[in-house]
Amino acid sequence: MVRAAEVAATVTDPELPMVTLAELGILRDVRETDDGVEVTITPTYSGCPAMEAIQADVLTALRRAGYERAHVRTLLAPAWTTDWISAEGKAKLAAAGIAPPGPAPRRGSGPVPLTLGVRDEKIACPRCGEESTERLAAFGATACRELRRCPACREPFEHVKEI
Amino acid sequence: MSFDDAYQSLTDHDDDARWAYGTGFSDPLAGVPTALPDGVDGAALAAYCLMIGDDALIMSHRLQQWVTRAPELEDEMALANIGLDLLGQARLLLTRAGEAEGAGRDEDALAYLRDASDFRHVRLVERADADFAHLIARLLVFATWRLALLDRLSASRDPVLAAIGAKGVKEVAYHRDYAAGWTVRLGDGTDLSHQRMQAAVDEVWPLLGELFEPHATELALAGVAVDPSTVRAECDAVFSQVLHAATLDTPAAPPASGVSTTVSAVTGGAVLSEGAVLVPAPTGGAASGDASARLGGRGRDGVHGAELGEILEELQGLARANPGGVW
């Protein structure tokens, strides 16, 4: 029987099927206890509708692997950050044409700084590698992505936002 | 495994009936330790979670009404995303409210089966938008205020509120930047866009007073809830920065308890029934000591405009007509 942790780690994200929940840093813990398998996941965004699908997918995968008794625990704190996406996960995103996130913003004490106008950031084009690309829209097809465009190859692409 | 769509993955593992309304989802706080911290009154915590949960729920509903009506497709995605983030925050907060209350109500019971006078959001969030500039002005004010509140909330003694706050900060920072960007684009745009953005700001500003006026519930939960008067200066600094960049005039500061002025300030054609008060608030419990509660004027005390009736008709109509309906 395959270990429960290995089964859960192979489940892919429903919206980003090229990466696994483990690579995204959503899967926090898998434990085999007397009460069955306890899987701990952390939501990406508060309203991410994929979380329900993710829970169902994990439980289905475990059941197919022979783990009839399993449940999912939600972990709210610490809040998910794109820094938890593994190097392998970022490479897979880039290979699929989605620019992976850079380091998440670090904030000191005091109010959250306001960003007016163009942010100073370098997001490389996942197709041609051009280092300077422009943002088309801060919100994309899912909560975690934004739309960008490359001035060199002129292709639009998605980017996983740093949070 | 793979599915053609996310919905398929939701439904393939059982033959359960689907809800005709509501989330039909699992408890968003499943597995989160939800014991009350020492010395925290469950009823007061429930009341507070309803306040900031209803703010998110009603604002989310207004944002969703813009989908298919925004100027550009990208903005419809933005507004839908912002609405979705807020809906997620509302789900967590309403669930927390139901647990703290201990009367067996879950997020769906609180969202779909409460009367208008039991909603505790500030009146800013329920307003109908006369135009896109009006929405942007409301979103700028709302996101700036909520970002500051959530940031303080992340240090709450209640670990669940602290977690919701810390997570929400990351989301609402994007909402504020979006609204600020559009405020500048419209304000510093053409003569017409400047004029309409200024009119929108002038209409929305009288609603600010209520946002920063502490409620008895908030004051009774020191260390757990946030006293909104403590974020006033921080918010004013942001408003000033954005309006200046947008070449817009900052309207005169509203009175601290601005309820009587809010009801006569809006003249937009799409804002109907201005000033109509739906139901007098039942004052009681933690709210009864508040001066404006006695006057019966605040959203936090359940006093809302007729616009809330329209929202709830849309939000709750199906759930109320078909209680527990499934298909």
Side-chain angles (χ1 to χ4, degrees):
Chain A
M1 198 160 166
V2 185
R3 283 182 54 232
E6 287 172 37
V7 175
T10 60
V11 177
T12 56
D13 183 273
E15 297 284 356
L16 297 167
M18 69 294 290
V19 283
T20 66
L21 304 181
E23 287 163 345
L24 281 174
I26 294 173
L27 185 69
R28 305 306 298 165
D29 193 30
V30 180
R31 251 166 232 220
E32 294 181 45
T33 71
D34 294 341
D35 283 334
V37 181
E38 182 182 85
V39 180
T40 303
I41 59 175
T42 189
T44 51
Y45 285 72
S46 301
C48 180
M51 295 314 296
E52 301 292 334
I54 288 170
Q55 295 189 12
D57 286 355
V58 170
L59 295 179
T60 304
L62 285 170
R63 205 179 52 246
R64 284 179 186 161
Y67 293 95
E68 284 298 329
R69 287 193 308 158
H71 64 279
V72 177
R73 257 183 83 226
T74 306
L75 188 69
L76 282 186
W80 182 77
T81 161
T82 43
D83 287 348
W84 292 349
I85 302 178
S86 68
E88 197 176 8
K90 287 176 183 171
K92 286 182 179 175
L93 286 171
I98 299 174
R106 298 251 179 269
R107 183 163 71 92
S109 55
V112 182
L114 175 73
T115 307
L116 270 180
V118 182
R119 289 184 305 165
D120 180 25
E121 58 187 358
K122 288 264 187 280
I123 307 294
C125 173
R127 295 178 200 280
C128 73
E130 164 66 33
E131 287 191 351
S132 185
T133 59
E134 62 177 336
R135 178 198 264 185
L136 291 174
F139 297 87
T142 64
C144 55
R145 289 180 272 179
E146 67 173 12
L147 297 177
R148 301 188 71 87
R149 176 167 56 195
C150 174
C153 70
R154 311 194 75 77
E155 288 289 334
F157 63 92
E158 290 186 303
H159 165 58
V160 175
K161 295 187 271 196
E162 297 82 9
I163 68 165
Chain B
M1 76 216 61
S2 67
F3 295 101
D4 289 339
D5 58 58
Y7 186 73
Q8 193 186 345
S9 72
L10 269 181
T11 55
D12 85 321
H13 67 293
D14 60 43
D15 295 321
D16 290 350
R18 312 305 161 233
W19 282 40
Y21 66 91
T23 61
F25 283 173
S26 56
D27 175 359
L29 291 178
V32 175
T34 51
L36 294 180
D38 286 344
V40 172
D41 175 46
L45 181 63
Y48 181 64
C49 290
L50 274 189
M51 289 179 181
I52 57 175
D54 286 347
D55 288 342
L57 176 66
I58 301 299
M59 189 68 187
S60 170
H61 193 81
R62 280 291 185 217
L63 285 159
Q64 290 165 47
Q65 291 179 326
W66 274 94
V67 175
T68 72
R69 299 177 196 187
E72 294 169 358
L73 182 61
E74 285 78 3
D75 291 294
E76 295 189 344
M77 290 165 69
L79 297 175
N81 266 300
I82 294 170
L84 189 59
D85 285 342
L86 292 174
L87 192 61
Q89 293 174 18
R91 289 189 61 203
L92 294 165
L93 289 162
L94 263 50
T95 300
R96 182 66 171 150
E99 283 170 352
E101 180 189 56
R105 292 199 285 184
D106 63 6
E107 52 174 325
D108 285 332
L110 289 168
Y112 293 110
L113 302 175
R114 265 185 304 156
D115 292 334
S117 59
D118 295 327
F119 277 78
R120 291 291 180 263
H121 56 270
V122 292
R123 296 177 71 172
L124 169 76
V125 299
E126 72 193 31
R127 301 302 276 257
D129 296 304
D131 60 14
F132 184 69
H134 193 265
L135 169 71
I136 290 300
R138 281 200 313 127
L139 188 58
L140 174 69
V141 169
F142 178 74
T144 301
W145 172 67
R146 191 170 182 84
L147 178 59
L149 290 183
L150 291 176
D151 194 29
R152 306 283 170 106
L153 202 60
S154 62
S156 172
R157 270 208 305 127
D158 177 31
V160 180
L161 280 179
I164 294 170
K167 189 153 201 56
V169 163
K170 298 177 177 220
E171 296 161 0
V172 181
Y174 270 95
H175 307 174
R176 186 186 63 174
D177 284 353
Y178 172 81
W182 263 110
T183 304
V184 173
R185 197 164 155 192
L186 293 173
D188 194 21
T190 65
D191 287 347
L192 180 61
S193 73
H194 176 87
Q195 182 193 324
R196 290 178 74 165
M197 194 65 231
Q198 183 69 60
V201 167
D202 291 345
E203 282 180 358
V204 165
W205 236 247
L207 296 166
L208 258 66
E210 191 183 10
L211 306 185
F212 300 103
E213 190 183 342
H215 190 274
T217 300
E218 290 158 333
L219 296 177
L221 286 169
V224 174
V226 180
D227 173 354
S229 66
T230 61
V231 302
R232 175 93 212 215
E234 176 185 334
C235 292
D236 279 344
V238 173
F239 297 145
S240 166
Q241 188 186 346
V242 175
L243 295 182
H244 177 75
T247 71
L248 295 165
D249 295 326
T250 304
S257 180
V259 173
S260 61
T261 56
T262 64
V263 295
S264 58
V266 177
T267 53
V271 182
L272 303 173
S273 314
E274 199 49 49
V277 171
L278 267 187
V279 192
T283 48
S288 59
D290 186 77
S292 60
R294 285 197 297 276
L295 296 172
R298 293 183 68 186
R300 289 281 190 245
D301 295 312
V303 179
H304 301 287
E307 292 161 315
L308 180 61
E310 296 157 24
I311 293 173
L312 294 186
E313 200 174 321
E314 193 172 74
L315 180 72
Q316 300 182 330
L318 187 64
R320 293 211 184 226
N322 302 280
V326 293
W327 53 271

